[in-house]
Amino acid sequence: MTHAAAHREFTPSDMAEGDVYKLLSGAVLPRPIAVVTSRSPEGIANAAPFSFFGILSHAPATVAIGIEPRPDGTRKDTARNIIETGEFTLHIPDVAMAQAVQDIAAPEAPEVDEIDLCGLARVPGTHVDCPRLLAAPVALECRFDQRLDLGPARDIVIGTVEGIFIREGAVNAALHVDPERIDALGRLGGATFATTRDRFQL
């Protein structure tokens, strides 16, 4: 019988918020990264990366994004845009997009188009009025469904997937997705990233 090793216990309710973030972001890994594009009510395109996100269901196809507030406590542009316009596009970036993902993470004013800043090619959305990034191997065009309010400007945004776009050649006739063709970028703690290139089967 294998005996479990000893563990050190932490209680989030007794800790500083930043310390909880460090533990969770450093322990729950690797985390897939979503690059989310949205558009403000004024028509300004926005792009930002998030690693607190996931697929919740396939029927209906549902995703969720955890969007933390800005350092000054205000709501981020992505959350505001999604809530006010009702749509967004979630991309899975590949390793080749790593620098662009890092670049668009920098805070910019709401009137700044981050997609232009990082030089990513885009096309108009098919099901939503949000840009779709051509470099990303996967894009999920989504309609805003609901928001979970976790406190001032701290949102979990839930959306229904209206369209799935996958890189040509990455899906076979049986609809199996080739992870090598996707070459997804993952997030570890801090500014450390990971790939999906080291795999094994059980």
Short mmCIF file of all heavy atoms in Angstrom, two decimals, residues 109-137:
data_model
loop_
_atom_site.label_atom_id
_atom_site.label_comp_id
_atom_site.label_asym_id
_atom_site.label_seq_id
_atom_site.Cartn_x
_atom_site.Cartn_y
_atom_site.Cartn_z
N ALA A 109 -5.44 51.42 -21.92
CA ALA A 109 -6.67 52.18 -21.77
C ALA A 109 -7.77 51.55 -22.63
O ALA A 109 -7.48 50.91 -23.65
CB ALA A 109 -6.44 53.62 -22.19
N PRO A 110 -9.05 51.73 -22.25
CA PRO A 110 -10.15 51.11 -22.99
C PRO A 110 -10.21 51.50 -24.47
O PRO A 110 -10.72 50.73 -25.29
CB PRO A 110 -11.40 51.62 -22.25
CG PRO A 110 -10.92 51.92 -20.87
CD PRO A 110 -9.52 52.42 -21.04
N GLU A 111 -9.69 52.67 -24.81
CA GLU A 111 -9.76 53.11 -26.21
C GLU A 111 -8.63 52.54 -27.06
O GLU A 111 -8.56 52.81 -28.27
CB GLU A 111 -9.75 54.63 -26.29
CG GLU A 111 -8.50 55.30 -25.75
CD GLU A 111 -8.55 55.59 -24.27
OE1 GLU A 111 -9.46 55.06 -23.59
OE2 GLU A 111 -7.68 56.34 -23.79
N VAL A 112 -7.75 51.72 -26.48
CA VAL A 112 -6.62 51.14 -27.21
C VAL A 112 -6.99 49.75 -27.72
O VAL A 112 -7.53 48.92 -26.98
CB VAL A 112 -5.36 51.06 -26.31
CG1 VAL A 112 -4.23 50.33 -27.03
CG2 VAL A 112 -4.92 52.45 -25.90
N ASP A 113 -6.71 49.50 -28.99
CA ASP A 113 -6.97 48.20 -29.61
C ASP A 113 -5.72 47.34 -29.43
O ASP A 113 -4.72 47.52 -30.14
CB ASP A 113 -7.29 48.40 -31.09
CG ASP A 113 -7.67 47.12 -31.81
OD1 ASP A 113 -7.13 46.05 -31.46
OD2 ASP A 113 -8.50 47.19 -32.74
N GLU A 114 -5.77 46.39 -28.49
CA GLU A 114 -4.59 45.55 -28.20
C GLU A 114 -4.21 44.65 -29.36
O GLU A 114 -3.04 44.26 -29.50
CB GLU A 114 -4.83 44.69 -26.96
CG GLU A 114 -4.82 45.43 -25.65
CD GLU A 114 -6.21 45.80 -25.19
OE1 GLU A 114 -7.15 45.76 -26.02
OE2 GLU A 114 -6.37 46.15 -24.02
N ILE A 115 -5.16 44.28 -30.18
CA ILE A 115 -4.86 43.40 -31.32
C ILE A 115 -3.93 44.11 -32.29
O ILE A 115 -2.97 43.52 -32.80
CB ILE A 115 -6.15 42.96 -32.01
CG1 ILE A 115 -7.07 42.26 -31.01
CG2 ILE A 115 -5.83 42.02 -33.18
CD1 ILE A 115 -8.43 41.91 -31.57
N ASP A 116 -4.18 45.38 -32.53
CA ASP A 116 -3.29 46.16 -33.39
C ASP A 116 -1.91 46.30 -32.77
O ASP A 116 -0.89 46.22 -33.47
CB ASP A 116 -3.88 47.55 -33.64
CG ASP A 116 -4.98 47.55 -34.69
OD1 ASP A 116 -5.11 46.53 -35.40
OD2 ASP A 116 -5.71 48.54 -34.78
N LEU A 117 -1.87 46.48 -31.46
CA LEU A 117 -0.59 46.68 -30.79
C LEU A 117 0.34 45.48 -30.94
O LEU A 117 1.55 45.64 -31.11
CB LEU A 117 -0.80 46.95 -29.29
CG LEU A 117 -1.27 48.35 -28.89
CD1 LEU A 117 -1.37 48.44 -27.37
CD2 LEU A 117 -0.33 49.41 -29.43
N CYS A 118 -0.22 44.27 -30.86
CA CYS A 118 0.64 43.08 -30.94
C CYS A 118 0.74 42.54 -32.36
O CYS A 118 1.46 41.56 -32.60
CB CYS A 118 0.15 42.00 -29.98
SG CYS A 118 -1.47 41.34 -30.37
N GLY A 119 0.05 43.15 -33.31
CA GLY A 119 0.22 42.78 -34.72
C GLY A 119 -0.40 41.47 -35.14
O GLY A 119 0.03 40.87 -36.13
N LEU A 120 -1.42 40.99 -34.42
CA LEU A 120 -2.07 39.74 -34.78
C LEU A 120 -3.12 39.97 -35.89
O LEU A 120 -3.92 40.89 -35.81
CB LEU A 120 -2.75 39.12 -33.57
CG LEU A 120 -1.83 38.55 -32.48
CD1 LEU A 120 -2.65 38.14 -31.26
CD2 LEU A 120 -1.03 37.36 -33.02
N ALA A 121 -3.09 39.10 -36.89
CA ALA A 121 -4.09 39.19 -37.97
C ALA A 121 -5.44 38.72 -37.45
O ALA A 121 -5.53 37.82 -36.62
CB ALA A 121 -3.65 38.32 -39.15
N ARG A 122 -6.50 39.35 -37.95
CA ARG A 122 -7.84 39.01 -37.49
C ARG A 122 -8.84 39.03 -38.64
O ARG A 122 -8.58 39.61 -39.70
CB ARG A 122 -8.29 40.00 -36.43
CG ARG A 122 -8.34 41.42 -36.96
CD ARG A 122 -8.88 42.36 -35.92
NE ARG A 122 -8.15 43.61 -35.87
CZ ARG A 122 -8.34 44.56 -34.98
NH1 ARG A 122 -9.23 44.42 -34.05
NH2 ARG A 122 -7.63 45.65 -35.00
N VAL A 123 -9.96 38.39 -38.40
CA VAL A 123 -11.09 38.44 -39.33
C VAL A 123 -12.34 38.72 -38.50
O VAL A 123 -12.34 38.48 -37.29
CB VAL A 123 -11.26 37.12 -40.11
CG1 VAL A 123 -10.09 36.89 -41.05
CG2 VAL A 123 -11.45 35.94 -39.17
N PRO A 124 -13.40 39.22 -39.12
CA PRO A 124 -14.64 39.44 -38.36
C PRO A 124 -15.21 38.11 -37.88
O PRO A 124 -15.05 37.08 -38.52
CB PRO A 124 -15.56 40.11 -39.39
CG PRO A 124 -14.65 40.67 -40.42
CD PRO A 124 -13.48 39.73 -40.49
N GLY A 125 -15.90 38.16 -36.76
CA GLY A 125 -16.56 36.97 -36.27
C GLY A 125 -17.68 36.53 -37.19
O GLY A 125 -18.24 37.34 -37.94
N THR A 126 -18.02 35.25 -37.12
CA THR A 126 -19.11 34.69 -37.92
C THR A 126 -20.42 34.73 -37.16
O THR A 126 -21.46 35.10 -37.71
CB THR A 126 -18.79 33.25 -38.33
OG1 THR A 126 -17.57 33.23 -39.09
CG2 THR A 126 -19.91 32.63 -39.15
N HIS A 127 -20.38 34.35 -35.90
CA HIS A 127 -21.59 34.28 -35.07
C HIS A 127 -21.70 35.45 -34.10
O HIS A 127 -22.76 35.67 -33.53
CB HIS A 127 -21.61 32.97 -34.27
CG HIS A 127 -21.53 31.74 -35.12
ND1 HIS A 127 -22.65 31.13 -35.66
CD2 HIS A 127 -20.46 31.01 -35.53
CE1 HIS A 127 -22.27 30.08 -36.36
NE2 HIS A 127 -20.96 29.98 -36.31
N VAL A 128 -20.60 36.15 -33.89
CA VAL A 128 -20.57 37.27 -32.95
C VAL A 128 -19.80 38.43 -33.58
O VAL A 128 -19.02 38.23 -34.50
CB VAL A 128 -19.92 36.87 -31.61
CG1 VAL A 128 -20.71 35.78 -30.91
CG2 VAL A 128 -18.47 36.43 -31.82
N ASP A 129 -20.01 39.60 -33.03
CA ASP A 129 -19.32 40.80 -33.54
C ASP A 129 -18.04 41.03 -32.75
O ASP A 129 -17.84 42.08 -32.14
CB ASP A 129 -20.24 42.01 -33.46
CG ASP A 129 -19.62 43.24 -34.10
OD1 ASP A 129 -18.74 43.08 -34.97
OD2 ASP A 129 -20.02 44.37 -33.72
N CYS A 130 -17.18 40.02 -32.75
CA CYS A 130 -15.88 40.11 -32.10
C CYS A 130 -14.83 39.59 -33.08
O CYS A 130 -15.10 38.67 -33.85
CB CYS A 130 -15.82 39.24 -30.84
SG CYS A 130 -16.97 39.70 -29.57
N PRO A 131 -13.63 40.15 -33.06
CA PRO A 131 -12.59 39.66 -33.98
C PRO A 131 -12.19 38.23 -33.64
O PRO A 131 -12.19 37.82 -32.48
CB PRO A 131 -11.42 40.62 -33.73
CG PRO A 131 -11.99 41.78 -32.99
CD PRO A 131 -13.17 41.27 -32.24
N ARG A 132 -11.87 37.48 -34.69
CA ARG A 132 -11.29 36.14 -34.51
C ARG A 132 -9.84 36.20 -34.94
O ARG A 132 -9.52 36.71 -36.01
CB ARG A 132 -12.06 35.11 -35.32
CG ARG A 132 -11.71 33.68 -34.95
CD ARG A 132 -12.69 32.66 -35.49
NE ARG A 132 -12.52 32.44 -36.92
CZ ARG A 132 -13.38 32.80 -37.85
NH1 ARG A 132 -14.50 33.42 -37.50
NH2 ARG A 132 -13.14 32.55 -39.12
N LEU A 133 -8.94 35.71 -34.08
CA LEU A 133 -7.51 35.78 -34.34
C LEU A 133 -7.07 34.59 -35.19
O LEU A 133 -7.22 33.43 -34.78
CB LEU A 133 -6.74 35.79 -33.02
CG LEU A 133 -7.14 36.90 -32.03
CD1 LEU A 133 -6.36 36.77 -30.75
CD2 LEU A 133 -6.95 38.27 -32.66
N LEU A 134 -6.51 34.88 -36.37
CA LEU A 134 -6.16 33.82 -37.31
C LEU A 134 -5.00 32.96 -36.83
O LEU A 134 -4.90 31.79 -37.21
CB LEU A 134 -5.84 34.42 -38.68
CG LEU A 134 -7.02 35.07 -39.41
CD1 LEU A 134 -6.54 35.71 -40.70
CD2 LEU A 134 -8.11 34.05 -39.69
N ALA A 135 -4.13 33.51 -36.01
CA ALA A 135 -2.97 32.74 -35.55
C ALA A 135 -3.36 31.65 -34.56
O ALA A 135 -2.64 30.66 -34.41
CB ALA A 135 -1.94 33.67 -34.92
N ALA A 136 -4.47 31.82 -33.87
CA ALA A 136 -4.87 30.84 -32.85
C ALA A 136 -5.39 29.57 -33.51
O ALA A 136 -6.22 29.64 -34.42
CB ALA A 136 -5.93 31.44 -31.95
N PRO A 137 -4.95 28.40 -33.06
CA PRO A 137 -5.42 27.15 -33.67
C PRO A 137 -6.87 26.81 -33.35
O PRO A 137 -7.50 26.04 -34.05
CB PRO A 137 -4.46 26.10 -33.11
CG PRO A 137 -3.97 26.68 -31.83
CD PRO A 137 -3.91 28.16 -32.05
#
